[in-house]
Amino acid sequence: MMSTVNNAKLQKCIKNRNNLYRLIISQLIYDGHTAIAVMLSVKVNAYLPCCPSARLMSLATIGLQYETDKQEESYQALDLNPIQQLIFGPGIDLDFEADVICTDCSAPEPSLYETAYVISHNGACRAGAFSSDGKLIATGSCDTSIKILDVERILATTFNIDSTDNQEGHGHPVIRTLYDHSEEVTCLEFHPNKPILASGSRDCHIKFFEYSKAYMKKACKTIDDLEPITCLSFHPVGDHMVMGTNSPVIKLYDINTVQCYVSAIPNHQHTGPVTSLKFEPSARYFVSSSQDGSIKLWDAVSNKCVNTIDKAHDGSQVCSVTFSRNGKYILSSGKDSMVKLWELSTSRCLIVYTGVGTTGKQKHRTQALFNHSEEYVLYPDEVTSTLCVWNSRNANRQQLLSLGHTGPIRSIAHSPKSVAFLTCSDDFKARFWYKKHWIRA
């Protein structure tokens, strides 16, 4: 019975494709491109002659209008108001041709950014993060310290941009320095809607800091584990988080009760340490990567693995994974120095971003990420300490940016709201990058 159904679907697919070819041929004849139409007719074996027809143009017009309506619905689903739509742009969506040719919302190339501030630690800087509103950044180091900085103060200090904070003086950009770990800080993430910063460390603890309280130097809550923490990600609502460690097992926590949940199906787990985790913006899924070379997609409600991409980077360790804003795509990077864009619905690799100087020789894990408008993909080159940038839609290489670090870049984060990003390096420094005087075309 199932075989009959599958055969019926296949025959329908073939019939639809043949009809599409005939529509293309008819449209070409209608538009006067008869020679091209004849060549295509022979190539696809359109055995019945096609007459001139503009039906394809009519169908395309209707379809494009439908896609425009669907895109407006996707804006509403992301809770973007008209001003935010203008600022952030539509994000990467390969289903919409308009996005490929749109120049109204072009962001500046990252190669035009400049260092606005340098944060110094007493050890290698291994973690960095932006708050969800882009107003704060945090850096973590092997010296066990965490620094939280006010972006507005950085810009006021560096570029003399007016600040609403501290009318008599802009104040020091570092607003908090936190010490509550005993070993290297490996990952940082701000709570999506509360003044809380979560940090993971090689000391096997996750710490939660209420940074709005000036006197609060220690964590207000701690989650203990038996393995060093490698990555974490807050649920978009903020009540839960997923955590990865040097163990293959992914753990989901209720951060209010600190209750831990693990998938009930053991063989759903990775077979190597977890390297990266990220929730999908609408919270339907979360994605994970591992040293075992695989990418896994998890149902965020049932906590079950619903799909696995084995050997996503040809068997190399997968270093980072993140979702596009609309949840249609996953961007991954691996120790093969490749960056790939995956279509969530089909698990197909649609685009490979190549040309990094350390191709095939990546020693340290680092991340690939989108800029705030998702027009560009960013990836730091380990050997040359430059930022590799591609057009996210067609993988065209853009101009390189020298990052000025004297050690490998171990963490990179882009502001979700503005033209700014953060790089953290083994040279004990983190650099805050910003594009001054950016005017939208």
Side-chain angles (χ1 to χ4, degrees), residues 155-330:
L155 299 181
T157 300
T158 307
F159 298 120
N160 295 318
I161 297 175
D162 290 339
S163 171
T164 57
D165 181 43
N166 193 346
Q167 296 300 317
E168 296 182 357
H170 297 309
H172 197 281
V174 179
I175 61 173
R176 301 284 183 273
T177 302
L178 309 170
Y179 294 95
D180 204 17
H181 285 292
S182 58
E183 292 190 45
E184 171 193 336
V185 178
T186 56
C187 50
L188 295 166
E189 184 156 330
F190 285 90
H191 192 281
N193 48 54
K194 293 180 181 179
I196 294 174
L197 176 68
S199 63
S201 169
R202 289 187 63 84
D203 64 11
C204 308
H205 300 307
I206 289 181
K207 304 280 187 178
F208 298 89
F209 298 92
E210 292 187 59
Y211 57 81
S212 61
K213 300 177 180 178
Y215 61 86
M216 186 70 71
K217 302 296 183 182
K218 300 293 184 180
C220 61
K221 186 178 293 186
T222 300
I223 293 177
D224 302 322
D225 201 86
L226 298 176
E227 295 282 347
I229 313 301
T230 57
C231 51
L232 54 87
S233 179
F234 275 110
H235 186 283
V237 175
D239 291 334
H240 295 81
M241 75 162 23
V242 283
M243 178 185 77
T245 69
N246 279 347
S247 161
V249 179
I250 294 171
K251 299 175 182 178
L252 174 66
Y253 279 94
D254 182 319
I255 64 173
N256 297 310
T257 64
V258 197
Q259 186 170 358
C260 177
Y261 303 90
V262 177
S263 175
I265 307 174
N267 61 9
H268 276 192
Q269 301 290 349
H270 286 286
T271 58
V274 181
T275 57
S276 182
L277 287 164
K278 189 62 68 174
F279 266 102
E280 187 254 340
S282 67
R284 296 171 299 173
Y285 306 104
F286 65 88
V287 65
S288 65
S289 64
S290 170
Q291 289 185 21
D292 66 13
S294 70
I295 296 172
K296 288 181 177 287
L297 185 69
W298 302 79
D299 185 293
V301 177
S302 66
N303 200 23
K304 294 180 180 179
C305 179
V306 295
N307 194 18
T308 298
I309 304 174
D310 288 316
K311 296 184 178 180
H313 283 260
D314 298 325
S316 296
Q317 292 184 24
V318 184
C319 301
S320 70
V321 282
T322 189
F323 280 99
S324 63
R325 202 162 59 223
N326 58 18
K328 286 186 176 183
Y329 310 102
I330 295 171

Side-chain angles (χ1 to χ4, degrees), residues 1 63-64 145 200 255 292 305 330 344 384 399 412 430:
M1 179 65 182
L64 289 171
S145 72
I255 64 173
D292 66 13
C305 179
I330 295 171
L344 190 67
T384 62
Q399 186 174 345
I412 181 170

Side-chain angles (χ1 to χ4, degrees), residues 336-347:
D336 59 353
S337 299
M338 297 289 185
V339 180
K340 297 184 177 184
L341 186 73
W342 303 85
E343 186 177 44
L344 190 67
S345 61
T346 63
S347 300

